[in-house]
Amino acid sequence: MKSRIDAVRKYIGENGIDGALITRKENLFYFTGSAPVLGGYLLITEDDARFYVPELEYEEARETARVEVEKFKKLTELYDVLKPLKSLGVEGSLSMSFGNSLREKAEIEELKFIDDVIKELRIIKTPEEIEVIEAACRIADQAMMVAIEEISEGKTEREIAAKMEYIMKTNGAEKVAFDTIIASGWRSALPHGIASDKRIEKGELVVVDEGALYRHYNSDMTRTIVVGSPNEKQKEIYEAVLEAQKRGVEEARPGITTKELDTIVRNVIEEYGYGDYFIHSTGHGVGLEIHEWPRVSQFDETELKPGMVITVEPGIYIPKFGGVRIEDTVLITEDGAKRLTKTDRELI
């Protein structure tokens, strides 16, 4: 934690900022090791780092945080602490109302965004972070195997999702990483088809997208299943997505940019003639948030480096027919990439 705080301290020093105030839950955990339910405020200055939390969160924060902790009853106490500072580094997610309060009540003259340094730190995972993400991926694999076993004609999407989520929690997950997607039949063409009361029918494609939150870190994976025997068009679409996904994992390596990786994956789908039906980016970073930097898309040119964790998740979505998506959480290594989610990708 100290090296992370020191990096922020160096950044604000080089940019002429008096201090930095961290408020986002994920960032608070990243810098302090503590995640109180009601949150708090981490103030970093040239010679100090102090975590201010509401009084009812004090005992928990004191036990878990790796920085000095102080409690407050009213925000006016925090504003008084900030008054000696004239400029303050803040996250871009800071609300306008709180920003105005900092100016008016804490008398901060200038607010500067410090997202660049935070993103630069969080985008490369430490060995300890990778170990936790791998555990989250193992839990996701266990849940996916349950889905594969349970999906059958007559069952509802919500019924399958409930069993998956039960398995995740009984295997150590704090909760699901996001609302579990079980999208069958025509709904499989909806990229975000959260499990509904629709009953699964024979011959349908079923997209299963799920992840586990374990010790504050996320996993993310998708598999597509056919109930019964697939028809020729279903086979063709699946083959296109599978080839694109495998190619993406094979080509992911240090030195390539996220835009280049997206192009490689996208070109495979286009070669099959389904380019117009691949309607989202190839992937995204995974860590303390289910979607974080880098973005594997045409709009991001981040160079991949060892320690980054991303998803590779191409898909084809044909309205009124159905869709296919295959996704793995992937670790960028020194010379390539390693799949952290390992459930079989072949058509089931």
Side-chain angles (χ1 to χ4, degrees):
M1 304 298 172
K2 183 179 185 298
S3 61
R4 297 172 182 177
I5 290 173
D6 286 343
V8 174
R9 186 173 285 133
K10 179 182 178 183
Y11 182 88
I12 62 177
E14 292 175 346
N15 288 273
I17 306 172
D18 295 333
L21 189 67
I22 308 296
T23 62
R24 287 193 65 198
K25 181 179 179 181
E26 296 83 5
N27 289 335
L28 288 174
F29 178 79
Y30 185 78
F31 287 106
T32 71
S34 180
V37 174
L38 298 180
Y41 304 87
L42 173 64
L43 178 61
I44 302 172
T45 60
E46 183 179 357
D47 54 9
D48 193 24
R50 203 163 293 266
F51 190 24
Y52 295 88
V53 299
E55 188 173 21
L56 74 167
E57 300 275 23
Y58 176 68
E59 291 302 326
E60 179 182 352
R62 191 177 65 170
E63 289 294 323
T64 57
R66 301 178 190 175
V67 297
E68 290 294 320
V69 179
E70 288 195 20
K71 57 187 173 183
F72 65 87
K73 292 183 178 180
K74 298 180 180 179
L75 271 178
T76 53
E77 298 171 38
L78 177 67
Y79 296 144
D80 289 339
V81 170
L82 296 172
K83 281 182 179 178
L85 309 179
K86 298 305 177 185
S87 60
L88 188 66
V90 296
E91 300 139 307
S93 58
L94 190 77
S95 69
M96 183 177 294
S97 61
F98 187 53
N100 288 336
S101 293
L102 290 173
R103 291 185 179 93
E104 296 169 6
K105 299 177 182 179
E107 301 174 7
I108 302 296
E109 296 177 2
E110 184 179 22
L111 298 177
K112 294 184 177 181
F113 294 137
I114 58 169
D115 298 87
D116 286 349
V117 65
I118 296 175
K119 182 173 74 173
E120 185 178 327
L121 289 167
R122 281 182 50 185
I123 203 170
I124 304 294
K125 273 56 178 181
T126 65
E128 292 76 18
E129 288 179 294
I130 292 168
E131 184 178 340
V132 177
I133 293 171
E134 286 182 310
C137 288
R138 287 194 294 272
I139 294 171
D141 276 320
Q142 291 170 323
M144 187 61 74
M145 292 308 299
V146 167
I148 292 169
E149 292 170 2
E150 292 288 336
I151 288 175
S152 59
E153 184 179 3
K155 291 185 178 179
T156 68
E157 297 170 348
R158 204 184 305 276
E159 182 182 351
I160 305 299
K163 290 183 179 181
M164 293 175 66
E165 292 167 14
Y166 172 79
I167 289 298
M168 284 190 238
K169 288 190 175 182
T170 56
N171 281 279
E174 298 161 38
K175 59 181 180 179
V176 295
F178 51 89
D179 288 336
T180 301
I181 292 172
I182 309 282
S184 61
W186 68 269
R187 294 188 74 250
S188 62
L190 306 176
H192 294 152
I194 294 169
S196 73
D197 289 325
K198 178 187 174 304
R199 292 194 179 276
I200 297 168
E201 299 179 20
K202 188 176 181 179
E204 289 186 329
L205 290 163
V206 184
V207 172
V208 181
D209 188 349
E210 50 93 6
L213 181 70
Y214 175 71
R215 289 173 52 189
H216 303 282
Y217 285 85
N218 293 278
S219 58
D220 195 0
M221 70 180 302
T222 307
R223 295 293 184 268
T224 301
I225 298 161
V226 176
V227 181
S229 299
N231 60 41
E232 291 305 311
K233 189 169 185 178
Q234 290 172 337
K235 288 180 182 178
E236 181 182 51
I237 293 170
Y238 196 96
E239 181 181 346
V241 175
L242 180 59
E243 184 177 331
Q245 205 268 349
K246 285 184 173 180
R247 183 75 185 280
V249 175
E250 290 167 359
E251 295 291 338
R253 64 186 184 277
I256 192 173
T257 68
T258 49
K259 181 178 180 179
E260 289 170 339
L261 184 58
D262 180 84
T263 299
I264 289 169
V265 173
R266 200 166 296 280
N267 284 346
V268 175
I269 301 289
E270 290 176 353
E271 287 169 6
Y272 275 85
Y274 292 101
D276 290 342
Y277 299 101
F278 182 14
I279 55 177
H280 55 70
S281 63
T282 291
H284 54 84
V286 178
L288 287 169
E289 296 172 86
I290 192 62
H291 291 95
E292 58 182 48
W293 291 102
R295 308 299 188 196
V296 187
S297 78
Q298 291 296 297
F299 307 102
D300 184 4
E301 298 191 51
T302 300
E303 180 181 315
L304 293 180
K305 296 179 181 179
M308 290 184 180
V309 177
I310 62 171
T311 64
V312 178
E313 52 176 300
I316 292 174
Y317 311 92
I318 303 176
K320 297 182 180 181
F321 175 80
V324 172
R325 180 166 67 252
I326 303 171
E327 172 190 23
D328 284 306
T329 299
V330 174
L331 168 67
I332 305 302
T333 64
E334 293 293 335
D335 56 2
K338 174 185 176 184
R339 289 172 57 221
L340 302 183
T341 43
K342 300 176 181 180
T343 301
D344 191 4
R345 294 175 289 182
E346 301 302 323
L347 184 60
I348 300 171

